[in-house]
Amino acid sequence: MTEPLSLQDVIKQLIKSAGPMPVWRYMDLCLTHPAFGYYVSRDPLGREGDFTTAPEVSQMFGELLGLWAASVWKSIGSPQLVRLIELGPGRGTMMADALRALRVVPPLFQALQVHLIEINPVLREKQKATLAGMPNLHWHQSLDEVPGGSTIIFANEYFDVLPIHQMVRGERGWHERTVEIGDGDRLLFGMAPEPAPHFEQLLPPLVRAAPQGAVFEWRPDAEIMSIASRVREEGGAALIIDYGHLRGDAGDTFQAIAKHSFADPLQNPGRADVTAHVDFQALARGAEAVAARVHGPVTQGEFLRRLGIENRAVALMAKASLEVSEDVASALKRLVEGGRGGMGSMFKVMAVSEPDLAQIAGLSDQPDAARIAAQ
Ligand SMILES: C[S@@+](CC[C@H](N)C(=O)[O-])C[C@H]1O[C@@H](n2cnc3c(N)ncnc32)[C@H](O)[C@@H]1O
């Protein structure tokens, strides 16, 4: 057998030997195949890359998350050791901005151990450069490796890269959607010949009546359950920010993004980011199933406004040149507003906490994190 030259070759060999593969397996290979996976070999972020995330849009995003963490730390009794964990930290920009903001709370800054969960060696190197000089940094492959202790977790645009199952409504029930080889040796979507037994019972009531051909997406609960179990057992809270929907519904959101544009997810596997929207209702259900408390979700725009992003923008603009001021104003707009190019309504924010934590900054009716941190 000849050596595969690309992920496309690997996937075709697997399909030829074992039959059509479920979409989740295809997505997993695209992102994390040890030689050709998208998140194994490159830095996809920024203007030169494939997409831009909120922390890369403006320092305000990470700074406000730092103040949010300070408010959680105070609410859980200001422990002398707190583990600040970020899942999928990209270039380390958000953590650097958060830590800078946290310096204004010295007892917290001294209590911090910072843990970065990253599988991408290229991004790990960038994170090390971005965070150079910061104390108490640790890198891990997975959350399970982080020692116990009070915990605050950030996950920005992390869940959307975790593989999804797609199910298609057929005449006799819901079938797993697959990737197979069609005419001309091209990859195409198909579906398993037999419906998944009893799958309908797992669906939100809204989706049970979906018409034939409808697609329903789901992710295994393992990741949210492990996050929620950790904050419930060790104390603390996790903040999840991602694009997605408040209620589970039918719809095909599996997409590829390359050079800031949508691409065909079956073309050039491993060379484009493949993602799918996050179902916040399913995340909430998974967290509640392990007895954690859920706060929100609200839209990103609402969350950042409640944390005081507008005041922060005014403060930054007051000290800036005209050109920088314009950049701050346009970043503010992009982060909080909806509509074309805006992240404010497409992105949602939800927290998961230990059960006794009744109020969480930005997600409950309480003063903004900046004021709480200053108290
Ligand atoms: C879409 S990027 C978001 C980066 C960053 N949070 C930001 O907002 O700029 C996804 C991040 O998750 C990392 N990642 C992807 N799959 C992962 C996994 N299974 N475990 C840990 N990190 C993962 C990627 O390398 C990258 O750092």
Side-chain angles (χ1 to χ4, degrees):
M1 199 189 292
T2 50
E3 274 292 298
L5 298 174
S6 68
L7 189 56
Q8 175 123 257
D9 296 339
V10 173
I11 287 169
K12 284 181 180 167
Q13 276 179 13
L14 284 168
I15 294 174
K16 281 174 188 159
S17 61
M21 69 171 61
V23 165
W24 73 264
R25 171 101 171 103
Y26 174 81
M27 185 170 172
D28 194 31
L29 288 168
C30 286
L31 295 176
T32 63
H33 182 277
F36 301 118
Y38 183 76
Y39 275 119
V40 173
S41 55
R42 75 192 75 208
D43 170 7
L45 288 143
R47 222 172 268 178
E48 305 299 312
D50 289 328
F51 55 88
T52 301
T53 57
E56 303 296 332
V57 169
S58 167
Q59 67 184 78
M60 295 184 285
F61 189 81
E63 289 168 350
L64 289 171
L65 262 57
L67 295 176
W68 181 88
S71 85
V72 170
W73 177 71
K74 292 209 167 184
S75 323
I76 59 172
S78 310
Q80 284 185 0
L81 167 93
V82 62
R83 301 199 183 278
L84 181 60
I85 303 173
E86 186 173 356
L87 303 172
R91 290 177 167 174
T93 309
M94 190 174 96
M95 186 56 85
D97 293 335
L99 291 176
R100 195 176 55 251
L102 282 177
R103 276 187 189 275
V104 303
V105 192
L108 168 55
F109 197 73
Q110 281 147 23
L112 281 179
Q113 292 290 325
V114 176
H115 299 269
L116 300 129
I117 315 297
E118 179 57 79
I119 56 164
N120 181 334
V122 180
L123 286 177
R124 268 192 191 205
E125 287 312 308
K126 294 238 159 141
Q127 291 154 19
K128 285 183 180 156
T130 309
L131 295 167
M134 290 288 174
N136 304 326
L137 302 173
H138 315 270
W139 274 265
H140 311 270
Q141 280 292 113
S142 81
L143 184 58
D144 315 340
E145 295 172 11
V146 181
S150 299
T151 295
I152 298 174
I153 301 179
F154 295 143
N156 186 58
E157 290 211 41
Y158 173 70
F159 274 89
D160 69 87
V161 300
L162 300 182
I164 44 149
H165 287 265
Q166 283 197 318
M167 308 298 290
V168 187
R169 176 80 189 241
E171 236 173 74
R172 292 181 295 124
W174 292 84
H175 302 243
E176 181 95 41
R177 199 176 193 204
T178 55
V179 175
E180 38 192 82
I181 301 174
D183 293 344
D185 207 33
R186 284 162 59 103
L187 294 177
L188 51 79
F189 288 113
M191 66 185 201
E194 289 303 315
H198 312 301
F199 182 76
E200 195 153 310
Q201 292 165 17
L202 305 174
L203 287 170
L206 192 71
V207 184
R208 285 186 201 146
Q212 266 188 47
V215 172
F216 178 73
E217 297 172 342
W218 64 280
R219 287 188 169 86
D221 286 332
E223 191 73 13
I224 185 63
M225 283 185 168
S226 108
I227 293 169
S229 302
R230 184 175 172 107
V231 295
R232 191 202 65 213
E233 282 157 24
E234 305 287 347
L239 190 68
I240 298 162
I241 307 175
D242 226 309
Y243 43 91
H245 34 277
L246 298 174
R247 289 186 162 278
D249 203 352
D252 176 4
T253 72
F254 184 48
Q255 62 190 23
I257 297 169
K259 301 279 165 232
H260 299 266
S261 299
F262 290 112
D264 178 349
L266 298 186
Q267 277 216 336
N268 296 321
R271 299 212 179 110
D273 186 25
V274 282
T275 73
H277 284 207
V278 172
D279 176 349
F280 280 86
Q281 191 179 18
L283 289 186
R285 219 181 310 114
E288 282 167 353
V290 295
R293 187 165 187 153
V294 171
H295 309 256
V298 301
T299 62
Q300 175 174 297
E302 179 70 23
F303 177 74
L304 293 176
R305 282 197 174 102
R306 287 186 192 178
L307 291 190
I309 194 167
E310 279 143 343
N311 292 344
R312 181 67 189 128
V314 169
L316 284 175
M317 287 193 268
K319 289 186 265 171
S321 65
L322 184 61
E323 200 186 344
V324 173
S325 265
E326 281 172 2
D327 286 349
V328 173
S330 91
L332 172 67
K333 210 166 157 213
R334 188 157 175 208
L335 291 175
V336 301
E337 288 190 3
R340 215 179 132 77
M343 302 172 110
S345 55
M346 162 124 68
F347 281 72
K348 313 292 186 300
V349 183
M350 188 179 102
V352 170
S353 77
E354 57 179 86
D356 294 342
L357 207 56
Q359 300 277 308
I360 289 252
L363 295 165
S364 329
D365 294 332
Q366 71 168 44
D368 66 49
R371 252 182 293 151
I372 293 166
Q375 274 165 15

